[in-house]
Amino acid sequence: MRAIERRRGSAALAALAVAAAVVFTGCGTPGAPLPPSLKLPDPVTNLAAVRTGNQVALTWTMPRKNTDKLLIKGNVPVHICRKEGSGVCLPVPTKLFFAPNARAAFTDTLPPDLAAGTPRPLTYFVELSSPHGRSAGPSNAAHVLAGQAPAAVAGLSAQLRKDGVVLHWTPDESQAQQTVIRLHRKLLRPNAAPTNLSSQKGLLTPPKEPIEQSLLVEPPAESGPMPNRVLDKTIHFGRTYEYRAQRVDRIAIDGQTVELAGPLSDPIRVDAIDTFPPAVPSGLAAVATTADSSTTGPSIDLSWLPITEPDLAGYAVYRREADAPADTWQRISPAQPVIGPAFHDPNVQPGHSYRYAVTAIDQLGHESERSPEAEETAPNP
């Protein structure tokens, strides 16, 4: 009897143990109970900073979930700090709240001490906190430069040449070694017909190009004065451009180049109208030939080095008697330019000596100066 009672007692204890397990594991699901969520927002990972004048614009994206992978409910408190160099990150005095997944932005006005002096690193962080004031850690670092912005570029001017636009500005002797010049070029009226080309049948139309481009003028490789001029070779004739310039300080921070830009200069406009003749041909040579069964008299063959300019239309050939005055040149090639760098002159008199010169002509009709002369004598029969 006592054995039976003992067996009944053991069974009751086992049943109580099973019931307790069900209570703690929840309907038979295995595993230990989870701790309550701390509701820590995920840290920001895309903080970016841009300084303009004495203001720094910060942008980032708020997280959707917390560190427990649960959706965040309600606005999240945001704290911002900045540190100079390797110093302590000091809080920026402000109270900010943003909704989950929002595109957040804040503009920090630099105090006078950070807006003055030589350029130096300045780093920003944002940190998000839970309703209980706890945080999962700061964001990624976003770098700008503290210090006084470079001086404005003065005296910007432009000169149009055959090989491009020469831009010139007033040098600044106080300019720091890490300061460069950035030139901003804007294509005006990109959809307008090219100036002085649209009415010329068969002429080359300038190719498509970006509306805005920039050109960086670096300090010299060796120690020396900073250049105060540059040649922009990438223009296209028939277009109109606007140029502005600014000085930019640059410092490498954590493997990336951080910039502090000065104000933009006043704009200047350049109408890239082609008024330039092609290069003068060179290498002119003249070789006489005697008459044969297929010809009625002697002739002189000319050849020269080709011009490689893209808007070349061809060449013109000039001749004068060797003993004639220098102002008696006559064009002996056709009205249409000669296409290749060669010409055959059959209209020569036996025993006479001739001087020849060649010019290059572009598609707008601009003609170069005459080449150096070549002299040859037509042989007697």
Side-chain angles (χ1 to χ4, degrees):
M1 189 71 176
R2 290 179 178 175
I4 293 173
E5 289 177 353
R6 283 198 299 270
R7 286 197 296 269
R8 288 178 177 174
S10 298
L13 290 174
L16 288 173
V18 170
V22 170
V23 169
F24 284 112
T25 59
C27 301
T29 303
L34 296 174
S37 172
L38 296 178
K39 299 181 180 180
L40 302 179
D42 279 335
V44 170
T45 59
N46 65 342
L47 178 64
V50 177
R51 179 181 171 183
T52 304
N54 291 337
Q55 293 187 322
V56 178
L58 302 173
T59 55
W60 68 94
T61 303
M62 295 292 293
R64 295 176 59 248
K65 297 181 178 181
N66 59 28
T67 55
D68 298 313
K69 309 304 179 185
L70 300 175
L71 292 176
I72 299 173
K73 297 180 180 179
N75 290 342
V76 179
V78 178
H79 310 278
I80 300 175
C81 71
R82 61 180 176 231
K83 69 173 183 176
E84 184 179 349
S86 58
V88 178
C89 199
L90 301 176
V92 175
T94 183
K95 291 184 178 181
L96 297 175
F97 296 86
F98 290 98
N101 206 35
R103 292 186 177 181
F106 174 75
T107 299
D108 179 34
T109 300
L110 294 178
D113 62 317
L114 292 180
T118 58
R120 55 201 184 275
L122 184 65
T123 306
Y124 282 84
F125 299 90
V126 297
E127 193 167 4
L128 314 181
S129 60
S130 70
H132 302 293
R134 301 184 66 179
S135 167
S139 68
N140 62 295
H143 305 290
V144 295
L145 293 183
Q148 184 174 357
V153 174
L156 183 64
S157 62
Q159 178 188 7
L160 184 64
R161 299 193 329 199
K162 178 69 175 178
D163 54 350
V165 174
V166 177
L167 297 152
H168 181 275
W169 55 92
T170 303
D172 182 3
E173 305 231 347
S174 63
Q175 181 172 309
Q177 185 63 29
Q178 71 270 13
T179 304
V180 299
I181 299 291
R182 176 172 287 126
L183 294 159
H184 300 265
R185 190 184 83 187
K186 183 177 181 180
L187 175 63
L188 302 181
R189 304 194 308 273
N191 298 321
T195 306
N196 87 338
L197 294 182
S198 59
S199 62
Q200 304 290 326
K201 184 178 179 180
L203 296 187
L204 298 176
T205 300
K208 290 184 178 180
E209 57 183 308
I211 294 179
E212 294 189 4
Q213 296 189 69
S214 62
L215 175 65
L216 205 62
V217 183
E218 303 270 6
E222 300 178 357
S223 60
M226 180 71 182
N228 66 330
R229 67 177 62 208
V230 69
L231 173 63
D232 181 6
K233 297 181 179 180
T234 64
I235 65 146
H236 295 100
F237 285 112
R239 298 295 194 190
T240 300
Y241 300 94
E242 178 184 271
Y243 288 92
R244 304 183 80 177
Q246 64 182 160
R247 289 187 170 89
V248 180
D249 284 326
R250 300 191 303 167
I251 293 179
I253 305 174
D254 292 345
Q256 67 181 87
T257 300
V258 183
E259 298 184 345
L260 173 57
L264 287 166
S265 69
D266 292 333
I268 59 170
R269 174 171 165 160
V270 176
D271 292 316
I273 298 176
D274 187 0
T275 60
F276 305 97
V280 177
S282 61
L284 178 62
V287 178
T289 58
T290 57
D292 56 27
S293 59
S294 62
T295 60
T296 58
S299 61
I300 296 177
D301 289 317
L302 305 173
S303 63
W304 56 91
L305 296 176
I307 299 294
T308 58
E309 296 180 20
D311 62 341
L312 182 73
Y315 307 90
V317 180
Y318 294 85
R319 185 187 74 183
R320 66 183 175 93
E321 294 279 351
D323 56 356
D327 59 354
T328 59
W329 289 103
Q330 291 184 336
R331 179 168 174 167
I332 60 173
S333 60
Q336 290 298 321
V338 176
I339 300 302
F343 185 77
H344 178 70
D345 181 14
N347 301 314
V348 295
Q349 297 295 322
H352 284 232
S353 295
Y354 299 93
R355 289 183 178 270
Y356 293 91
V358 181
T359 62
I361 302 173
D362 67 16
Q363 296 188 40
L364 289 174
H366 302 130
E367 187 173 4
S368 73
E369 296 291 329
R370 286 191 296 269
S371 69
E373 302 172 16
E375 183 176 346
E376 182 62 303
T377 300
N380 289 308

